């Protein structure tokens, strides 16, 4: 499987595009630990520290010329590719319809990560926008009807550490009266010296109100105005600067309050329930800032260029003196993001690891739920609803049968392992008859196709038959893709291995 990412990251545009694509790449690697997975990043003038992270992770890098025009960039990239990739993920605000249409021939599936909803996209399969409360309506004028939307905070693209800390370690009990540990994270590159400004504000507050909080600053070693920042905090022993921090989740879990920008770090803070005072550094952050503020997950102070000490002072002291507000903010933040965005994406684009597990009595309720769904039953031989008692009797008998073999289809990512469907093989004539159902929530994710590819070897020694309603076009296409031959209008046959070898 070949995955290609097209993005840029530098002092001007920040590190957000790299961080969210890198989170996806690491999730895919962890999902397919032993498989033949190839991941490539294509970027222009990528800083050395990011190239080193790719190299250390076994990810290939294609250097690109500085972006001039969309068509030139697409043509250059196409010339670097020997074969078509399985999935191309583009995360770049300067690339749109022209680039996507040109590169389309080089990818089986095309995913665009966007959060602006301000430009037309080409023939794309998926559009991901992790903005909280984003709706499809924002993109109706920009994508085709075939595009699948992946919208909202369920697709927040975070590294695995945030999910792990949230679900096992969980943030330690915070001091909210007043906050004792503050983390200052205004983007990796210190846009417009924003970190330096807030350091001055915090130093003034601490002295004026005789406060005793400590501050941890998170920045890139390539950040703007870094030397002047280091100089200014030399006389402030309560401030610690962490450059290129590899344990951001731990820092957030130990903090009582964050002062941050409204990019990817918004979802990191929400995943760990960290109360936040926030600012925006660019216009593309405005919608996120507004939505999270309205929901009560953070307190938004406006754009950094408009920030005044008085406004910051009032907000900070209000939070410091209102523990109930901080507690409510933490609860709201936890509701927004669970840290599973990368896993949800991996599953939606059909890159999850699909395998079969022998069904047991513990699966009876799950299978009943699937078989009771009218959407799933509509193409069954018996589309009528079945009772719970009928189902129990049928499945218990099936599990004991020597001629009926029931498997649960499992979909596994680096974060979870879910039951998503059922595959059944019944002895039939000189082989087996196959039937498949997939949970409605997980359809259109290549699950049935990959489940067929996972059928145990012993069943492939005989023919496998599939009876498919002529009205069920999706299933007819499925079995054709899986190598079955259509012998009648509603009958497909997969020849056994011996016959396939003889034909070759």
């Amino acid at each position: 499987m070949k995955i290609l990412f097209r993005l840029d990251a530098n002092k001007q545009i920040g590190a957000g595009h790299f961080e969210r694509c890198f989170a996806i790449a690491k999730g895919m690697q962890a999902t397919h630990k032993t498989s033949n997975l190839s991941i490539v990043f294509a970027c222009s003038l990528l800083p050395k520290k990011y190239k080193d992270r790719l190299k250390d992770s076994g990810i290939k890098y294609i250097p690109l010329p500085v972006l001039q025009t969309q068509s030139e960039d697409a043509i250059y990239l196409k010339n670097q590719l020997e074969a078509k990739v399985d999935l191309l993920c583009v995360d770049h605000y300067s690339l749109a319809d022209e680039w996507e249409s040109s590169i389309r021939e080089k990818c089986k599936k095309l995913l665009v990560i966007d959060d602006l909803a301000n430009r037309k996209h080409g023939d794309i399969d998926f559009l991901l926008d992790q903005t909280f409360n984003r709706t499809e309506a924002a993109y109706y004028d920009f994508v085709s009807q075939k595009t699948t939307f992946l919208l909202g905070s369920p697709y927040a693209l975070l590294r695995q550490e945030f999910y792990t800390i949230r679900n096992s370690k969980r943030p330690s009990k915070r001091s909210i009266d007043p906050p004792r540990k503050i983390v200052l994270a205004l983007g990796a590159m210190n846009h417009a010296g924003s970190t330096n400004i807030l350091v001055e504000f915090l130093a003034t507050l601490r002295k004026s109100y005789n406060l005793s909080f400590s501050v941890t600053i998170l920045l890139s070693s390539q950040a703007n105005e870094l030397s002047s920042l280091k100089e200014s905090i030399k006389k402030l022993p309560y401030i610690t600067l962490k450059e290129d921090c590899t344990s951001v989740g731990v820092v957030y879990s130990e903090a009582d309050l964050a002062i941050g920008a409204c990019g990817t770090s918004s979802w990191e803070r929400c995943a760990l329930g960290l109360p936040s005072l926030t600012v925006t550094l660019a216009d593309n952050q405005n919608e996120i800032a507004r939505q999270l503020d309205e929901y009560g997950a953070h307190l938004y102070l406006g754009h950094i260029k408009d920030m005044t000490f008085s406004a910051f002072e009032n907000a900070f002291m209000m939070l410091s003196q209102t523990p109930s507000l901080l507690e409510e903010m933490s609860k709201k933040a936890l509701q927004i993001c669970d840290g599973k965005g990368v896993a949800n994406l991996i599953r939606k684009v059909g890159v999850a690891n699909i395998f079969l597990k022998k069904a047991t009595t513990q699966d009876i309720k799950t299978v009943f739920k699937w078989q009771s769904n009218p959407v799933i039953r509509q193409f069954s031989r018996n589309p009528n609803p079945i009772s719970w008692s009928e189902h129990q009797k049928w499945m218990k008998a099936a599990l004991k049968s020597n001629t009926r073999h029931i498997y649960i289809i499992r979909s596994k990512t680096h974060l979870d392992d879910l039951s998503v469907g059922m595959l059944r093989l019944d002895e039939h004539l000189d082989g087996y008859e196959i039937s498949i159902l997939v949970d409605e929530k997980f359809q259109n994710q290549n699950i049935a196709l990959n489940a067929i590819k996972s059928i145990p070897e012993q069943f492939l020694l005989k023919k496998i038959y599939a009876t498919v309603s002529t009205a069920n076009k999706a299933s007819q296409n499925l079995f054709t893709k899986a190598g079955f031959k259509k012998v009648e209008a509603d009958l497909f046959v997969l020849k056994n291995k011996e016959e396939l070898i003889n034909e070759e």
Side-chain angles (χ1 to χ4, degrees):
M1 186 181 299
K2 297 180 180 179
I3 313 294
L4 172 64
F5 290 88
R6 172 67 182 101
L7 63 130
D8 283 331
N10 51 51
K11 286 189 176 183
Q12 287 68 46
I13 65 176
H17 299 286
F18 179 89
E19 293 297 347
R20 56 192 185 188
C21 287
F22 191 66
I24 298 170
K26 294 296 287 184
M28 289 179 173
Q29 286 182 325
T31 297
H32 296 274
K33 292 179 180 179
T34 59
S35 68
N36 185 23
L37 178 69
S38 172
I39 299 180
V40 179
F41 273 46
C43 314
S44 172
L45 302 178
L46 189 67
K48 181 180 182 300
K49 71 167 201 166
Y50 297 126
K51 288 189 281 190
D52 289 343
R53 286 174 66 184
L54 295 178
K55 184 178 180 180
D56 291 343
S57 298
I59 298 173
K60 298 178 183 178
Y61 170 62
I62 296 178
L64 301 178
V66 175
L67 177 62
Q68 299 294 334
T69 68
Q70 294 189 55
S71 59
E72 288 177 357
D73 189 90
I75 291 170
Y76 186 92
L77 180 55
K78 285 194 292 185
N79 290 336
Q80 308 305 306
L81 303 176
E82 296 179 359
K84 184 179 290 190
V85 299
D86 294 288
L87 176 67
L88 169 56
C89 174
V90 55
D91 187 358
H92 203 300
Y93 297 146
S94 296
L95 300 178
D97 186 13
E98 182 182 349
W99 187 91
E100 294 153 4
S101 298
S102 178
I103 203 76
R104 180 73 241 204
E105 65 187 77
K106 280 293 188 177
C107 61
K108 296 177 182 178
K109 292 182 180 179
L110 179 54
L111 162 70
V112 170
I113 299 176
D114 192 4
D115 46 33
L116 297 180
N118 68 347
R119 63 197 188 280
K120 186 173 178 57
H121 292 289
D123 179 22
I124 65 174
D125 299 285
F126 305 96
L127 187 140
L128 186 150
D129 184 335
Q130 58 188 0
T131 304
F132 180 57
N133 280 343
R134 179 68 86 191
T135 64
E136 295 180 7
Y139 287 97
Y140 281 157
D141 294 333
F142 301 126
V143 299
S144 68
Q145 292 183 346
K146 65 166 279 187
T147 302
T148 298
F149 291 106
L150 312 176
L151 303 179
S153 52
Y155 294 98
L157 303 172
L158 303 183
R159 298 189 301 279
Q160 183 174 347
E161 66 173 299
F162 294 96
Y163 177 82
T164 301
I165 292 173
R166 175 189 173 100
N167 290 279
S168 57
K169 184 178 180 180
R170 296 304 298 264
S172 57
K173 185 174 178 58
R174 295 189 165 101
S175 172
I176 56 176
D177 189 21
R180 302 283 185 182
K181 295 182 179 180
I182 297 172
V183 57
L184 179 58
L186 296 174
M189 295 302 180
N190 193 22
H191 177 75
S194 52
T195 302
N196 304 52
I197 295 171
L198 266 298
V199 163
E200 290 183 16
F201 285 1
L202 287 168
T204 302
L205 271 180
R206 197 173 188 275
K207 183 176 181 181
S208 299
Y209 290 90
N210 194 28
L211 301 174
S212 59
F213 57 74
S214 63
V215 180
T216 299
I217 299 174
L218 303 179
L219 275 179
S220 165
S221 58
Q222 307 297 313
N224 297 295
E225 301 185 34
L226 188 60
S227 58
S228 62
L229 175 66
K230 289 181 177 179
E231 186 64 29
S232 66
I233 65 175
K234 279 183 178 179
K235 299 178 182 180
L236 304 174
Y238 56 88
I239 296 181
T240 301
L241 171 63
K242 290 182 178 289
E243 299 177 51
D244 303 328
C245 180
T246 58
S247 56
V248 175
V250 174
V251 174
Y252 281 168
S253 70
E254 295 175 347
D256 305 320
L257 177 70
I259 302 170
C262 295
T264 299
S265 58
S266 291
W267 316 120
E268 295 173 349
R269 297 189 297 267
C270 284
L272 300 182
L274 178 58
S276 307
L277 282 172
T278 63
V279 297
T280 49
L281 306 178
D283 290 343
N284 66 293
Q285 297 178 352
N286 291 341
E287 184 64 16
I288 295 174
R290 183 182 67 81
Q291 290 283 355
L292 295 184
D293 183 78
E294 288 184 1
Y295 192 74
H298 72 198
L299 183 59
Y300 175 46
L301 302 180
H303 196 286
I304 186 65
K305 68 183 180 187
D306 302 320
M307 177 64 57
T308 64
F309 173 74
S310 176
F312 180 76
E313 176 186 30
N314 290 338
F316 184 93
M317 295 310 299
M318 179 187 69
L319 287 184
S320 295
Q321 297 167 3
T322 317
S324 60
L325 182 58
L326 285 168
E327 288 180 357
E328 184 63 21
M329 192 181 292
S330 179
K331 291 177 182 177
K332 291 284 189 179
L334 284 170
Q335 292 170 5
I336 284 175
C337 179
D338 61 6
K340 292 182 64 175
V342 170
N344 293 336
L345 167 63
I346 287 174
R347 195 164 270 120
K348 281 289 186 179
V349 298
V351 185
N353 185 15
I354 304 299
F355 64 97
L356 301 179
K357 177 188 75 70
K358 285 284 286 184
T360 69
T361 54
Q362 293 182 336
D363 299 306
I364 292 178
K365 285 186 179 180
T366 301
V367 174
F368 178 70
K369 177 183 176 183
W370 293 331
Q371 292 189 330
S372 297
N373 187 325
V375 174
I376 293 176
R377 289 197 67 81
Q378 63 179 316
F379 294 116
S380 301
R381 285 197 180 111
N382 174 19
N384 298 320
I386 57 173
S387 69
W388 169 239
S389 59
E390 289 174 322
H391 172 75
Q392 280 185 298
K393 182 178 179 181
W394 171 84
M395 191 160 175
K396 287 179 179 180
L399 292 174
K400 294 178 181 179
S401 173
N402 294 323
T403 60
R404 174 165 284 170
H405 310 273
I406 300 179
Y407 290 89
I408 299 299
I409 306 172
R410 305 285 294 185
S411 174
K412 186 175 183 179
T413 72
H414 63 306
L415 297 184
D416 53 17
D417 184 348
L418 306 177
S419 295
V420 296
M422 179 183 74
L423 183 148
R424 193 177 82 229
L425 293 163
D426 296 320
E427 288 193 12
H428 176 77
L429 301 175
D430 56 341
Y432 300 93
E433 181 176 26
I434 185 174
S435 61
I436 302 176
L437 66 82
V438 175
D439 188 327
E440 187 180 7
K441 298 192 301 293
F442 298 99
Q443 291 181 1
N444 302 315
Q445 298 176 20
N446 287 336
I447 288 174
L449 180 61
N450 288 319
I452 292 173
K453 293 178 180 179
S454 302
I455 292 174
E457 187 81 11
Q458 69 264 27
F459 297 108
L460 301 178
L461 299 177
K462 294 183 178 182
K463 292 180 180 178
I464 299 180
Y465 299 86
T467 302
V468 187
S469 167
T470 55
N472 192 349
K473 301 299 183 184
S475 288
Q476 291 228 341
N477 291 335
L478 162 68
F479 285 104
T480 299
K481 281 185 179 181
F484 283 69
K485 183 178 180 180
K486 190 173 185 178
V487 295
E488 295 179 17
D490 62 352
L491 183 63
F492 292 74
V493 179
L494 180 67
K495 295 181 179 181
N496 64 48
K497 282 200 166 184
E498 184 176 346
E499 289 177 306
L500 291 174
I501 292 172
N502 289 338
E503 285 185 358
E504 293 177 356

